[in-house]
Amino acid sequence: MQTLNFEFPADRPPARRAHVGVAGSGDLEVLMTPGPAGVARVRVRTSVDGFDTVWRVVLERFFARHRVAAGFELNDSGATPGVVTLRLRQAVEESMEEGSA
């Protein structure tokens, strides 16, 4: 088990918390909580060691397009980069929907 921490510039606060995905084989759970303006903080807990560079690149690409100021907890069970991006997009979409629970 490996834990990775990242920070990215962010200027778009989400409307609410979001929870998408599950921490199961080949999938990813994303817990997103509104955070302080100016930064997105990401903590990745992964069952697959040695992919620090891949995580960094995938997250850099995502946060270059989606500058969401929030805290992200990613619980990974071997998700591919495509699944990571999909789950992050789902969390952002869910967090921007006003009034949904």
Side-chain angles (χ1 to χ4, degrees):
M1 186 63 93
Q2 184 174 16
T3 300
L4 308 169
N5 293 289
F6 301 94
E7 287 191 1
F8 302 96
D11 53 16
R12 209 173 120 211
R16 63 184 193 87
R17 295 174 177 233
H19 177 196
V20 298
V22 295
S25 180
D27 207 345
L28 177 78
E29 176 184 47
V30 177
L31 304 164
M32 188 177 110
T33 306
V39 67
R41 289 191 175 95
V42 183
R43 179 169 36 203
V44 178
R45 290 186 190 104
T46 179
S47 60
V48 183
D49 293 345
F51 284 84
D52 308 44
T53 302
V54 173
W55 277 106
R56 183 180 46 76
V57 169
V58 169
L59 294 171
E60 282 175 349
R61 284 184 191 156
F62 181 81
F63 286 101
R65 293 184 181 157
H66 305 278
R67 296 175 53 93
V68 180
F72 292 81
E73 297 281 335
L74 281 56
N75 298 310
D76 173 52
S77 294
T80 65
V83 170
V84 172
T85 301
L86 171 71
R87 291 289 183 226
L88 286 168
R89 282 185 182 164
Q90 288 173 328
V92 169
E93 286 177 16
E94 183 177 304
S95 74
M96 297 298 176
E97 295 172 0
E98 292 281 352
S100 58

